[in-house]
């Protein structure tokens, strides 16, 4: 019974969309991580690193999700698609920037040669 359910789920069109969505999310995540690391090594503040990495990851995320995962083509519905994506992205950006800045402050507050060592 479980194998029949598994087969039915894996063969569905929805499973293909979810798989493509997950792959697009991984591509966006890797893009963000690489851009964050490069900006951090270049000496940018954590806020600048977060914003740059977030925007760098948002672009492939938008394109891959819209065109490849959900297979939407044609004209973009500005209010429904772009404004919604920008609002949600800005909320996530503010949250991630705040968390990154707070973490950086906490780490800088640890005296040298104290704390956990990894």
């Amino acid at each position: 019974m479980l194998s029949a359910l598994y087969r039915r789920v894996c063969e569905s069109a929805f499973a293909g969309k979810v798989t493509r969505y997950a792959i697009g999310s991984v591509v966006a995540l890797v893009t963000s991580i690489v851009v964050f690391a490069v900006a951090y090594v270049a000496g940018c503040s954590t806020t600048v690193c977060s914003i740059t990495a977030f925007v760098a990851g948002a672009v492939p995320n938008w394109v891959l999700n819209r065109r490849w995962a959900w297979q939407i083509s044609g004209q973009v519905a500005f209010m429904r698609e772009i404004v919604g994506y920008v609002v949600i992205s800005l909320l996530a950006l503010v949250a991630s920037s705040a968390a990154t800045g707070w973490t950086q402050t906490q780490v800088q507050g640890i005296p040298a040669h104290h704390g956990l060592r990894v």
Side-chain angles (χ1 to χ4, degrees):
M1 173 154 156
L2 189 58
S3 64
L5 177 63
Y6 176 77
R7 193 173 338 113
R8 210 168 74 208
V9 167
C10 288
E11 293 173 355
S12 73
F14 181 71
K17 285 182 180 186
V18 170
T19 301
R20 289 188 299 272
Y21 178 80
I23 292 169
S25 295
V26 169
V27 168
L29 173 66
V30 170
T31 303
S32 292
I33 289 170
V34 168
V35 169
F36 186 94
V38 168
Y40 191 76
V41 169
C44 297
S45 72
T46 55
T47 302
V48 170
C49 292
S50 292
I51 293 170
T52 306
F54 192 86
V55 171
V59 172
N61 189 40
W62 167 266
V63 172
L64 289 173
N65 285 337
R66 186 172 195 278
R67 294 187 181 163
W68 186 50
W70 305 118
Q71 299 175 343
I72 300 171
S73 60
Q75 190 173 0
V76 176
F78 184 79
M79 286 303 291
R80 192 186 72 193
E81 292 183 53
I82 300 212
V83 172
Y85 188 77
V86 167
V87 167
I88 290 171
S89 293
L90 287 175
L91 290 173
L93 174 62
V94 168
S96 69
S97 295
T100 305
W102 179 83
T103 303
Q104 177 71 9
T105 302
Q106 297 305 309
V107 169
Q108 295 301 323
I110 299 172
H113 306 294
H114 290 83
L116 296 174
R117 293 181 186 233
V118 181

